Amino acid sequence: QAYNCLIHFYKRFVSVLEIEKKTRMGLEEDFQEAADAVSNKIKKTMSNDELKEVYALFKQGSIGDCNTSRPGMLDLKGKAKWDAWNSKKGMSQDEAKQKYIEFANQLKEKHGLIC
């Protein structure tokens, strides 16, 4: 009976792993679609704050925590991008991807799509 219990546990464990893998794959596909929309389909009327948020969530979702040193004081754009990404430190990549997808959808509504 212990053997049957172990087999049952193993089957349930494998099933949970398969569901988790499918969920992650779906998230990754949705993330890539959102990135394509932001890069190629949403009208380029985003504010600087929106651009920084898009950048930060994309980098956090793609790479994870900021892994570079802060740019020098003369590189204002680089510092702004670095600060935005670094503000997401500690957020999981999956959470950042989900937030990116949600933000991209908000941007589509607000700015519209390129025809």
Side-chain angles (χ1 to χ4, degrees):
Q1 183 160 0
Y3 178 74
N4 285 338
C5 185
L6 187 60
I7 289 174
H8 179 71
F9 172 78
Y10 176 76
K11 285 181 181 179
R12 288 188 70 195
F13 180 72
V14 169
S15 177
V16 167
L17 288 178
E18 287 173 356
I19 290 169
E20 187 175 305
K21 182 178 177 185
K22 286 178 187 175
T23 302
R24 278 208 178 127
M25 287 179 66
L27 178 63
E28 186 61 36
E29 289 169 1
D30 292 347
F31 180 67
Q32 292 303 325
E33 285 177 20
D36 179 57
V38 168
S39 295
N40 303 313
K41 297 176 183 152
I42 295 175
K43 290 181 181 175
K44 305 299 181 212
T45 56
M46 291 180 263
S47 70
N48 285 339
D49 287 341
E50 289 170 332
L51 289 169
K52 288 189 289 186
E53 184 70 5
V54 162
Y55 177 81
L57 289 172
F58 182 81
K59 294 294 271 189
Q60 190 70 19
S62 302
I63 297 170
D65 287 345
C66 191
N67 59 1
T68 62
S69 57
R70 190 169 191 253
M73 64 184 225
L74 297 179
D75 184 359
L76 299 177
K77 184 176 179 181
K79 283 194 318 185
K81 289 167 69 174
W82 189 93
D83 289 342
W85 180 12
N86 197 52
S87 75
K88 306 300 179 195
K89 189 174 190 170
M91 181 185 290
S92 74
Q93 285 183 269
D94 285 349
E95 181 183 357
K97 287 176 183 177
Q98 187 60 47
K99 286 182 182 275
Y100 182 90
I101 293 163
E102 292 166 6
F103 193 59
N105 288 331
Q106 291 172 12
L107 293 173
K108 282 184 212 174
E109 292 292 318
K110 182 177 179 183
H111 297 280
L113 299 175
I114 297 170
C115 297

